[in-house]
Amino acid sequence: MSQRALVNVLGEKVHYQEIPSSLFDAYFSTQQQEVVPACVVLPGSAQDVSQAIKVITQHECIFAVKSGGHAMFTGASNAPEGITIDLRNLNSLQISDDRKITAIGSGNRWLNVYDYLDPFNVTVVGGRDVDVGVGGFLLGGGISFISRRHGWGLDNVYNYELVLANGSISIIHRASNPDLYWALRGGGKNFGIVTRFDMFTHVDTEMWGGVNILLLDDMHDRLAILGIPRKFEWTTTALIGKTAEYINKLICKVGYCISVDDVASMLGEIALEAENDIFAHAWAVPIFFSSSQTYLISAEMNHGKGVEGAPGFGALHRAKKVYKTNRVARTADFAREITTLNTGGRCSYETATFKLDADLQKDIMHIYIEETEKIRHLKHLLSSIPMQIITKAEIAHFLKNGSNCLGLDPGDGPLLLLETAMLWTDPKDDATVLQTSKNILDRSIALAKERGLHHPFLYQNYAGKRQDVFGSYGEKNLARLRKIRDEYDPDHVFTRLSPGYFNV
């Protein structure tokens, strides 16, 4: 009945009898692609979204909202047997006459945004992967290449065009709706459907940087020290591993490798130096590939003034790399490059935050290796733990425009933001891989708590389904978010009827 009601008001914008498979191809994870909703709505305007919400609330329908579809877990932005509102056609872009504000439809991906702004020589605090959708990125946080200078994406939204639970359409601004404006800056999908973001623009200067690949030089000895040496067997996995080990040793002999200890020290050095250089942005990703039985480090460096070898990069820049793409280019070029490295499949993300400590980072690496070794036999497995620094200067931007709801204070920094990111292909391996991710994270958190180095913050855009994102914002902020939710959505439409993503 709800499908017919939607068709009555939205016509051909509703697909429910034969839903084209192409509507699911854009989801990043296979788990989301596999979801079968009762119908898909493709609104072309805020008014269409309003009509859809009115029908959904009238018929008490389960629904989900998709901007780019980059959330990993089942049901996050595709509603099983429910209604999926796909915002892809809300893709308008309009820069103001003075080029200070750009109105961005929430169905855009960052590729569209960057390409549109390029002729104006300006940019916005957007995604580092051009395939990521605008909506989820900005509502959950939004870490960018230029966040050290300008804050996260959510700190750079001037207005929100928002469809509320009663179907009304409002422009939310700090001056007119300070509480709701605050809540939308990190509060996710709990207050309505944002159909447009008006964002501050910034001059798009050329950056120096790129992808840098380094090998780990001490894995054989490291595995032995950890009590998990690889025993040779006449299996494909063992043969590949032994071959990779010999090749790795040859490469390391000519100086193209670093140790686990070096990685931990580099992150600490970057954090300290970056406080004095807001143009320096870097992160490191330890990665294991089961196809080659190899661990490596993928590191990204970017400098907003185009400076090669800036102090903010320290030993990471000086280390020899087996592969690097460092050059001078614009923001969009670097974001395109990151997209080529992020392939979809069966995926899992989870996250944790810690106070910066080199010994803790080294021990987290050990935990990661120990747990990954247990599943290294799985085919087409990629196991990684992206590590990035949230600096004090970065957090200081959270205070502008009335602050956001994340619960971070500049005094908390610098912080280590850890992510467990898993990629695999066989659904039979789902439980095994998810348990490994959980083990890595839970063991790391337990160790950090023992040392007084754990921070409760969970970054929404990296969080797993089991994680309490809004509880991590602190009791005071959670209570305020719920009070604002009760005021603007008294029937809890966006929590009760939209259960697939994080609820306050």
Side-chain angles (χ1 to χ4, degrees):
M1 184 177 292
S2 59
Q3 292 97 318
R4 292 195 186 97
L6 284 167
V7 171
N8 287 340
V9 295
L10 294 173
E12 294 181 354
K13 297 172 184 176
V14 180
H15 299 267
Y16 75 97
Q17 290 179 324
E18 294 184 6
I19 304 176
S21 61
S22 60
L23 294 181
F24 306 114
D25 293 343
Y27 286 99
F28 186 78
S29 77
T30 303
Q31 295 100 309
Q32 287 253 74
Q33 292 174 3
E34 291 173 343
V35 168
V36 180
C39 74
V40 177
V41 180
L42 298 172
S45 66
Q47 290 73 23
D48 288 347
V49 174
S50 171
Q51 293 284 356
I53 285 297
K54 289 176 181 177
V55 172
I56 286 169
T57 54
Q58 179 184 353
H59 292 272
E60 291 280 301
C61 302
I62 298 298
F63 73 100
V65 181
K66 169 184 171 289
S67 172
H70 218 267
M72 300 295 140
F73 50 82
T74 300
S77 53
N78 195 10
E81 299 182 358
I83 297 170
T84 295
I85 302 175
D86 186 330
L87 304 179
R88 68 177 64 194
N89 293 331
L90 300 184
N91 55 7
S92 62
L93 290 160
Q94 183 63 54
I95 193 169
S96 62
D97 291 340
D98 61 7
R99 302 185 181 182
K100 292 182 178 180
I101 302 287
T102 298
I104 302 172
S106 56
N108 279 292
R109 296 174 187 265
W110 290 109
L111 173 64
N112 311 98
V113 179
Y114 293 145
D115 284 350
Y116 172 78
L117 292 176
D118 186 64
F120 301 101
N121 293 316
V122 297
T123 191
V124 291
V125 181
R128 295 172 293 184
D129 179 335
V130 296
D131 199 43
V132 168
V134 165
F137 177 86
L138 291 175
L139 291 172
I143 303 174
S144 175
F145 289 115
I146 58 176
S147 285
R148 299 273 165 83
R149 284 175 277 167
H150 304 295
W152 289 6
L154 52 74
D155 299 309
N156 286 269
V157 179
Y158 179 69
N159 290 324
Y160 300 84
E161 181 181 70
L162 182 70
V163 177
L164 294 166
N166 63 7
S168 63
I169 303 170
S170 300
I171 300 298
I172 308 302
H173 182 265
R174 181 190 175 193
S176 57
N177 301 91
D179 283 341
L180 192 50
Y181 179 79
W182 174 86
L184 289 170
R185 296 172 65 187
K189 55 84 181 175
N190 290 282
F191 306 94
I193 299 177
V194 178
T195 52
R196 193 188 77 230
F197 299 84
D198 298 341
M199 295 192 70
F200 295 105
T201 58
H202 305 281
V203 175
D204 189 17
T205 57
E206 288 193 325
M207 298 192 296
W208 174 88
V211 175
N212 296 264
I213 304 298
L214 307 94
L215 291 179
L216 292 173
D217 67 358
D218 56 351
M219 284 309 301
H220 182 270
D221 294 338
R222 185 75 53 172
L223 292 172
I225 292 171
L226 294 174
I228 49 174
R230 290 181 178 177
K231 296 179 181 180
F232 182 75
E233 299 171 339
W234 290 102
T235 64
T236 301
T237 298
L239 287 170
I240 292 173
K242 185 58 69 174
T243 303
E245 181 184 322
Y246 285 130
I247 295 173
N248 202 81
K249 285 181 177 179
L250 289 173
I251 294 173
C252 292
K253 281 184 177 180
V254 292
Y256 285 89
C257 297
I258 60 172
S259 70
V260 169
D261 293 350
D262 291 335
V263 175
S265 298
M266 284 177 179
L267 286 168
E269 183 180 8
I270 289 170
L272 293 174
E273 292 291 345
E275 295 291 359
N276 302 313
D277 186 356
I278 61 173
F279 292 90
H281 179 76
W283 71 90
V285 187
I287 306 174
F288 171 78
F289 295 94
S290 68
S291 58
S292 61
Q293 293 292 301
T294 302
Y295 290 90
L296 55 80
I297 303 295
S298 175
E300 177 82 15
M301 293 183 286
N302 301 95
H303 197 277
K305 281 190 173 181
V307 177
E308 179 178 357
F313 301 133
L316 178 58
H317 176 258
R318 296 189 295 272
K320 288 185 176 181
K321 292 89 178 178
V322 294
Y323 174 78
K324 59 184 179 181
T325 65
N326 297 327
R327 75 278 188 197
V328 174
R330 300 282 282 272
T331 304
D333 186 61
F334 291 107
R336 282 189 177 88
E337 181 176 53
I338 296 301
T339 302
T340 65
L341 302 177
N342 289 339
T343 56
R346 307 194 75 79
C347 306
S348 170
Y349 284 0
E350 291 194 313
T351 189
T353 306
F354 308 103
K355 297 176 183 178
L356 201 64
D357 181 86
D359 288 335
L360 177 64
Q361 289 153 214
K362 179 177 67 177
D363 290 337
I364 288 173
M365 284 279 289
H366 290 163
I367 290 170
Y368 158 69
I369 292 168
E370 287 173 354
E371 295 295 337
T372 297
E373 283 293 298
K374 297 175 185 177
I375 61 170
R376 70 184 183 91
H377 62 280
L378 298 182
K379 292 183 178 180
H380 310 296
L381 170 72
L382 185 155
S383 170
S384 67
I385 51 167
M387 296 177 166
Q388 50 193 315
I389 309 302
I390 309 175
T391 65
K392 291 183 178 182
E394 204 167 327
I395 300 171
H397 288 287
F398 293 2
L399 302 177
K400 66 185 182 184
N401 298 326
S403 78
N404 60 46
C405 63
L406 302 183
L408 290 175
D409 182 88
D412 295 334
L415 296 169
L416 174 71
L417 182 61
L418 178 74
E419 177 188 358
T420 58
M422 303 289 186
L423 180 69
W424 68 103
T425 58
D426 193 337
K428 294 178 182 178
D429 296 330
D430 286 3
T432 300
V433 176
L434 293 175
Q435 185 61 51
T436 298
S437 175
K438 184 177 185 298
N439 292 346
I440 294 170
L441 203 69
D442 290 354
R443 289 181 60 192
S444 298
I445 291 172
L447 184 63
K449 286 182 176 179
E450 287 177 9
R451 300 179 184 180
L453 296 171
H454 178 250
H455 192 285
F457 174 68
L458 297 174
Y459 180 44
Q460 185 177 167
N461 291 355
Y462 294 165
K465 191 171 186 176
R466 70 184 177 102
Q467 298 190 282
D468 181 13
V469 169
F470 299 112
S472 80
Y473 291 6
E475 291 183 7
K476 183 179 178 180
N477 282 5
L478 177 58
R480 185 180 176 189
L481 285 170
R482 286 175 172 167
K483 182 179 179 181
I484 296 168
R485 185 269 312 269
D486 292 346
E487 178 182 353
Y488 289 94
D489 183 9
D491 295 326
H492 298 180
V493 169
F494 288 101
T495 49
R496 183 172 52 85
L497 297 180
S498 182
Y501 206 53
F502 302 109
N503 288 328
V504 296

